[in-house]
Amino acid sequence: RAAVAGAGALMLAYVLACDGGASVARAGIVGGLGLLAEVRSSPRERWYLMLVGLSVLLAHQPRAIHDPGLQLSFAAVTGLFLLAPPASAWLSGWMPARIADLAGLAAAASLATAPVVVWHFGRLSIAGLALNVVAVPLAAPIVILALAGLAAGAVLPAAGVVLAWAAGLGAWALLLAARGAAAIPGAAVDLPPASAPAFIGLALAPLALWGVIRPGGSTEGVRAIPWRPVAALALAVAACAWALSRPAPPPPWPATAALTVLDIGQGDAILLRSPEGAAAVFDTGPPGEPAPVVAALRRAGVSRLDLLVLTHDSLDHVGGALDILERFPVGAVLAPPDPVDGWLPAARAVVAGARARGVPVGRVRAGSRLRLGRWSLQVLSPSGPRPAGADPNPYSLVALARGDGLTALLTADAESDALARLVTGRIDVLKVSHHGSEDPGLPAQLQRMRPRVALVSAGEDNSFRHPRPETLAALAAGGAATWRTDRSGDLTVTAWRGELVVTGTR
């Protein structure tokens, strides 16, 4: 009991030291339930406490059931309860006991979380199983050294620095191991989310190998099912069903200037957000009932827009604008100068709809400068109205966006022939022109701009076969890491300590 109390105190200190974030708090809850089970000295109590704890957590925060972190936490704990003991026992016949224990923990957690990982991310790490054998024994000393450094630093700063440095060295080793594992060819495989249920069976199959499930075994000695696990399971199922009926919460607003290419199918919709709440969207994607951009903006947590910018009058760029005006407060609509022969009907309808709602409509051209929170925007093109009958793509509104150490070129559908005279310096992020269509001048453009990240907005299985293989090959040869909405969903880029961080929603 004294050991359990000491472990509980250390766990509470850990949660508080990590500022009590949602994932850390969940880990503390699960750990606390495990300690209670230890006090009761009954392995079966762990299951009751976990199910009741999950029910209470979902009753308090029903939307948390949509959080992959919550699902991964409880899936991992379930795996450790159910799969780790037989896995370790089976592996002990093949390797030393300590390594067998570590390998059993890694295998149990990896198998149990595989369905959740595949469902949310469409990717499964093959190297992760071996890497966890290294990570599990390394993580505990890192945490202990870090906590000891915090405590020692309050009394003797020099000691705190030494301990923190040692913890940082361990964290660096863990990061190095992760990057090395990720670099191995075939370290991860892409899988369709629909295959996730199959991994539930894959997770349970080893139980037969490990001798826990014996098909055709005797039923002698089977007891009546006690009411406690049945009641706890029923409560957990009811809580999950109620929580699943609740709408998913919006993600947290970014703490730094963020650029997001929204997954709206075959078209463009580029969202800029600033930490204080300012937001602008460049183009609005194709039409729909409602347009896909409406759901995409809500996924990103947008409730209002300071600016709605139309780059040109192609339907796959302005088709969702009226739906945005109907469903979101908009500060102003901006567009390039009127073409000589006028806008196409869809774009005219947007301008008329904005004015009917009292939303100001402004015209910008090359040289215009705008401010959106931490973002500064410089319009590079067009310099004037589009000539009569001209292709609208080269006359798209092209802008250079800078914010919090991030420089991005928003190209709309303007390809290399139009961009060659606009940008000569290096950029961080290139929004690939015209959804990745074939562009013979792209290699030369990449040599001038040398982007670190290229973002392609294209619809899944689109009839144009965008992005084209020639474009992807040019981007790879130019050294740009290419991300695509048709494969990774909404793509968000931020800058942190000189590095670019790119995240996708699938």
Side-chain angles (χ1 to χ4, degrees), residues 81-362:
F81 284 178
L82 182 65
L83 304 177
S88 299
W90 185 76
L91 290 170
S92 62
W94 303 82
M95 57 188 68
R98 178 57 180 161
I99 298 177
D101 286 341
L102 294 174
L105 290 170
S110 299
L111 287 170
T113 55
V116 181
V117 172
V118 173
W119 176 260
H120 285 287
F121 308 110
R123 169 169 278 212
L124 187 64
S125 172
I126 306 301
L129 183 62
L131 180 63
N132 280 336
V133 177
V134 177
V136 168
L138 192 57
I142 292 172
V143 174
I144 293 171
L145 285 170
L147 289 174
L150 286 174
V155 180
L156 185 61
V161 169
V162 171
L163 290 170
W165 183 87
L169 187 63
W172 173 82
L174 189 57
L175 179 62
L176 193 65
R179 286 177 172 171
I184 298 172
V189 293
D190 293 324
L191 296 164
S195 65
F199 283 88
I200 299 176
L202 181 64
L204 295 176
L207 289 174
L209 176 64
W210 294 332
V212 176
I213 297 177
R214 297 181 175 85
S218 170
T219 59
E220 183 181 353
V222 173
R223 298 182 302 170
I225 297 176
W227 67 268
R228 283 192 296 176
V230 173
L233 180 60
L235 183 62
V237 169
C240 288
W242 180 66
L244 285 170
S245 68
R246 312 292 294 176
W253 196 261
T256 186
L259 181 151
T260 301
V261 178
L262 298 172
D263 180 19
I264 42 77
Q266 184 68 9
D268 265 12
I270 316 300
L271 174 66
L272 299 180
R273 288 175 290 172
S274 187
E276 74 285 344
V281 66
F282 279 65
D283 288 329
T284 61
E289 296 182 359
V293 70
V294 172
L297 289 172
R298 287 175 176 159
R299 280 198 306 269
V302 174
S303 58
R304 62 177 298 278
L305 289 168
D306 296 86
L307 295 176
L308 192 165
V309 183
L310 306 178
T311 63
H312 61 301
D313 54 351
S314 294
L315 190 60
D316 60 340
H317 289 251
V318 302
L322 278 177
D323 280 347
I324 288 179
L325 290 168
E326 290 175 0
R327 291 171 170 83
F328 298 89
V330 176
V333 173
L334 300 180
D338 286 328
V340 171
D341 51 0
W343 290 91
L344 293 177
R348 288 203 304 269
V350 175
V351 173
R355 288 173 174 159
R357 292 170 173 81
V359 178
V361 178

